[in-house]
Amino acid sequence: MSDEPVIVFENVHKSYRNVKAVDGISFDVSPGICFGLLGRNGAGKSTIMRILYRKAERDRLPKSRVSVFGFDPEKDELAIKCRSGVVPQEDNLDEELNVRQNLLIFAKLYGMTRERADARIAELLEFMELREKADAAIRELSGGMKRRLVIVRALLNEPRLLILDEPTTGLDPQVRHTIWDKLRQLKRGGLTIMLTTHYMEEAFQLCDDVLIVESGKAVLRGNPKLLVEHSIEPYVLELTDAKLAPQVLAKLDHGQARVEKSEESVRVYGNAYESLRSVADGLPPGDYHLRPSTLEDVFLKATGRRLDARQ
């Protein structure tokens, strides 16, 4: 496997009328890793994805470059598509066809022989635990089955890069964990994966590297486990009843704690578990939660908690 980046995104801008959807973002994706794009709705994630597989064109500016396997999406779209698989947000399957027929159509687009297509389809349906649904109508499938089928479709051409846009939105925990396991297996086999997700736990579980974007700009990047370790206090005391805040704040050593408030809740971040434990003493059991900090806490610290007009 080459050490050259699979994706290079360098000083990229994209404007829609008066809106700057992507504002000078740069990143690269190493081969064989899972790279995650994180951001609230409207932050620029989907626009970045669309630029990569040429559903959108970047603004023409000096010193701006996009490369996928060394190809520019605007000049070598087909070369990139031959080496990539894309799982869009929507399950855009043909409901007039059954499972196998949906896959055979895409196999023909890739120029696969019928013999090779049948073998590859059987292999992938087995891998995604859909073998028994090969002849089922699309409308008979559950949401989780449709999502797994779209991933099968994206893997038909044995891609070197798999692009996933919100791969598990709306799925139940069992299906989500099954898909995570399958993606881990694919990554171990050398596949490079790029995904956008709103599930911080998903990014934490799958990604080797994440980029948090806000208002079209890159605000934080790194390994998710290291971001949790180095970008935020290790513990948080959550109060689900904001009326308890005065009682808690009166006990705090403000030099060793950071407080975030909203109308209905309070979060106290600190470095010492026992210190926060002592602050929580005497609170009603159902009105607080003392826990380790997570990637979601890092994300909210980096992007803020308030909604904006795009949400």
Side-chain angles (χ1 to χ4, degrees):
M1 184 183 297
S2 170
D3 292 331
E4 291 296 316
V6 172
I7 296 172
V8 175
F9 216 71
E10 186 176 312
N11 189 34
V12 176
H13 298 253
K14 176 61 180 177
S15 302
Y16 295 101
R17 296 184 181 178
N18 297 323
V19 176
K20 195 82 168 180
V22 178
D23 191 0
I25 286 181
S26 298
F27 64 87
D28 56 69
V29 179
S30 299
I33 72 162
C34 182
F35 182 89
L37 274 177
L38 310 180
R40 67 175 93 193
N41 288 335
K45 307 185 304 301
S46 292
T47 300
I48 291 170
M49 292 293 215
R50 290 168 63 83
I51 289 171
L52 288 175
Y53 48 83
R54 205 174 180 264
K55 289 292 185 179
E57 295 186 2
R58 68 187 185 274
D59 296 346
R60 288 295 182 181
L61 294 173
K63 299 181 180 179
S64 175
R65 181 166 72 105
V66 177
S67 168
V68 184
F69 298 113
F71 299 104
D72 185 331
E74 295 182 15
K75 298 176 181 178
D76 301 294
E77 178 184 0
L78 187 58
I80 293 170
K81 286 183 175 179
C82 288
R83 294 163 172 80
S84 306
V86 178
V87 177
Q89 286 188 31
E90 302 297 327
D91 296 335
N92 53 350
L93 299 162
D94 191 331
E95 296 204 350
E96 300 303 314
L97 305 177
N98 67 24
V99 167
R100 193 190 310 275
Q101 290 165 340
N102 265 270
L103 297 174
L104 283 171
I105 285 177
F106 269 73
K108 287 182 180 179
L109 293 175
Y110 288 123
M112 299 170 69
T113 66
R114 180 60 186 262
E115 181 181 11
R116 175 58 185 144
D118 286 341
R120 183 66 174 158
I121 288 168
E123 173 190 350
L124 290 172
L125 290 178
E126 181 73 30
F127 175 68
M128 277 290 175
E129 301 179 26
L130 290 170
R131 179 174 56 85
E132 295 180 356
K133 297 295 182 180
D135 297 311
I138 297 301
R139 63 177 60 90
E140 296 174 4
L141 303 182
S142 67
M145 291 175 182
K146 289 179 182 178
R147 204 64 183 144
R148 281 180 282 153
L149 180 57
V150 174
I151 295 174
V152 167
R153 190 181 66 186
L155 294 170
L156 272 176
N157 61 326
E158 301 185 65
R160 293 163 52 196
L161 170 66
L162 180 63
I163 297 175
L164 300 145
D165 201 355
E166 304 291 346
T168 65
T169 297
L171 301 183
D172 62 55
Q174 287 84 356
V175 175
R176 185 177 300 128
H177 279 266
T178 295
I179 290 176
W180 291 356
D181 285 344
K182 302 304 181 184
L183 293 177
R184 290 188 187 101
Q185 291 179 51
L186 292 167
K187 188 175 70 168
R188 283 197 297 272
L191 183 65
T192 304
I193 298 173
M194 183 171 183
L195 69 84
T196 68
T197 181
H198 284 128
Y199 295 121
M200 296 299 115
E201 177 65 13
E202 181 163 87
F204 188 82
Q205 291 287 338
L206 294 178
C207 294
D208 305 285
D209 192 7
V210 298
L211 177 68
I212 297 175
V213 296
E214 173 67 8
S215 300
K217 295 180 179 291
V219 295
L220 191 64
R221 179 180 177 181
N223 176 279
K225 296 171 180 62
L226 293 180
L227 289 179
V228 173
E229 184 176 346
H230 298 300
S231 300
I232 200 164
E233 301 85 351
Y235 303 105
V236 55
L237 173 64
E238 290 184 293
L239 306 177
T240 53
D241 184 351
K243 294 193 293 292
L244 295 172
Q247 177 182 344
V248 169
L249 297 180
K251 292 183 178 182
L252 279 179
D253 179 347
H254 291 280
Q256 298 183 4
R258 179 173 60 87
V259 179
E260 291 186 359
K261 300 179 184 178
S262 68
E263 291 184 7
E264 297 296 332
S265 65
V266 176
R267 290 172 178 82
V268 182
Y269 292 88
N271 294 312
Y273 180 88
E274 290 304 324
S275 176
L276 292 178
R277 175 76 263 174
S278 65
V279 169
D281 284 345
L283 295 177
D287 289 336
Y288 74 91
H289 180 38
L290 179 56
R291 59 170 176 81
S293 295
T294 66
L295 185 60
E296 186 162 312
D297 296 301
V298 174
F299 176 84
L300 290 170
K301 182 182 179 184
T303 63
R305 294 182 180 273
R306 293 188 178 276
L307 300 180
D308 62 23
R310 295 162 300 174
Q311 295 175 284

